[in-house]
Amino acid sequence: MRVLAVCFVLIAQSFLAASAAAEQADQTDSSATITCDFADEKEITVQYNVSVMSDKDQPRNGKIWLPGGSPLTLFTQVPLILNHVELAVGAYTLYVIPNKKEWTLVVSKNVTDPKKYDEKQDLVRAPMEIGGVDSPPKRLQASFAHIAPKQCSIRLYYETTGAFVEFNEK
């Protein structure tokens, strides 16, 4: 009976340790991923940094913004249209240029050294609609809204601003 009790305690402790380690890993993971599925089961995915931003990472009007020190990364399984420009299947870097009255989403072909923004690598710039946010997040939050069979809207929220732009499947 005593051996059974010891085994039970050891098993319970190992479950608690594994649970604590998983919780700690979730807290230290600084990336998030969002996806949007089109009607033909192809998808687009964006990975972005959700870590707490330092003063140097804060958005500045008219300047390229790297939330948490990193741009967003777009992966697409299907050709897309953004602001009348076609993006082929592949990976891209997304930058954001915030302003008081509008934000701009920049798609760059530079995926090898994305922390060094190079305007010559830009493929398309798309104006984003902006609106107010009732419960402002303290970190960048991103999501996709599937608004039509061949249309996904990326939504970026930071502090009191929400910014939106649509990707269309070609």
Side-chain angles (χ1 to χ4, degrees), residues 19-53:
S19 175
E23 186 175 313
Q24 185 177 11
D26 286 346
Q27 291 174 354
T28 59
D29 187 15
S30 63
S31 66
T33 302
I34 59 171
T35 61
C36 188
D37 296 321
F38 291 108
D40 59 3
E41 297 184 18
K42 301 284 183 166
E43 72 179 19
I44 58 176
T45 304
V46 170
Q47 291 180 336
Y48 66 101
N49 190 330
V50 294
S51 62
V52 175
M53 291 184 247

Side-chain angles (χ1 to χ4, degrees), residues 36-128:
C36 188
D37 296 321
F38 291 108
D40 59 3
E41 297 184 18
K42 301 284 183 166
E43 72 179 19
I44 58 176
T45 304
V46 170
Q47 291 180 336
Y48 66 101
N49 190 330
V50 294
S51 62
V52 175
M53 291 184 247
S54 67
D55 286 341
K56 70 176 184 159
D57 296 333
Q58 296 299 316
R60 311 252 191 284
N61 283 336
K63 304 284 184 191
I64 289 291
W65 179 37
L66 301 176
S70 300
L72 293 81
T73 305
L74 168 71
F75 302 96
T76 178
Q77 297 177 342
V78 61
L80 300 172
I81 303 292
L82 178 66
N83 200 24
H84 309 290
V85 174
E86 183 178 337
L87 301 171
V89 172
Y92 301 94
T93 302
L94 302 178
Y95 299 95
V96 179
I97 304 173
N99 276 308
K100 289 184 181 186
K101 295 188 179 190
E102 72 176 12
W103 286 19
T104 302
L105 183 69
V106 179
V107 179
S108 172
K109 61 184 175 183
N110 176 21
V111 293
T112 56
D113 192 9
K115 290 186 181 185
K116 291 185 180 180
Y117 174 70
D118 179 2
E119 188 174 349
K120 295 174 189 161
Q121 301 283 327
D122 290 0
L123 296 173
V124 60
R125 288 179 175 224
M128 301 180 82

